[in-house]
Amino acid sequence: QVQLVESGGGLVQAGGSLRLSCAASGRTFSRYNMGWFRQAPGKEREFVAAITVSGGGTYYVDSVKGRFTISRVNAKSTVYLQMNSLKPEDTAVYYCTAIIWYRWTNALDAWGQGTLVTVSS
């Protein structure tokens, strides 16, 4: 089973940037497509971005396209989310997990504790 630890969240002004990290334990990390999700207060968790096993393919929801960049380093068992031009509506707890490509749902019942991103206007 993969264990996930997200970090890098914080408070930032609108227009600012943050880089989130997700460190995975276990040697099976490189077998999985990975994705980021977020959950805003009072809302359901939503898919944000995904990256293929090799890192050669990525996918973003329209609301973050052009502002967020997902990447991974398999040797470090880590996936990143670079977030630029942040908006107040990006405020949420961000989670990473293994993902089913095209379904944009979690492939495993494995979630970290999440990292809180707060964007002030």
Side-chain angles (χ1 to χ4, degrees), residues 55-78:
T58 57
Y59 182 83
Y60 303 91
V61 294
D62 287 345
S63 60
V64 307
K65 201 173 295 182
R67 300 188 298 121
F68 290 10
T69 303
I70 189 171
S71 60
R72 66 190 296 166
V73 178
N74 286 339
K76 295 184 177 181
S77 297
T78 301

Side-chain angles (χ1 to χ4, degrees), residues 28-86:
T28 59
F29 172 82
S30 61
R31 297 181 184 178
Y32 297 108
N33 299 316
M34 295 295 294
W36 285 93
F37 290 73
R38 65 186 180 187
Q39 187 167 18
K43 295 187 177 181
E44 293 188 354
R45 186 152 47 193
E46 65 172 355
F47 165 75
V48 175
I51 189 166
T52 57
V53 167
S54 68
T58 57
Y59 182 83
Y60 303 91
V61 294
D62 287 345
S63 60
V64 307
K65 201 173 295 182
R67 300 188 298 121
F68 290 10
T69 303
I70 189 171
S71 60
R72 66 190 296 166
V73 178
N74 286 339
K76 295 184 177 181
S77 297
T78 301
V79 61
Y80 304 96
L81 187 67
Q82 177 67 43
M83 305 187 297
N84 299 329
S85 302
L86 282 162

Side-chain angles (χ1 to χ4, degrees), residues 3-43:
Q3 293 184 326
L4 304 159
V5 179
E6 299 92 346
S7 62
L11 174 64
V12 64
Q13 289 187 333
S17 299
L18 284 173
R19 189 194 194 202
L20 306 184
S21 298
C22 172
S25 65
R27 291 179 287 181
T28 59
F29 172 82
S30 61
R31 297 181 184 178
Y32 297 108
N33 299 316
M34 295 295 294
W36 285 93
F37 290 73
R38 65 186 180 187
Q39 187 167 18
K43 295 187 177 181

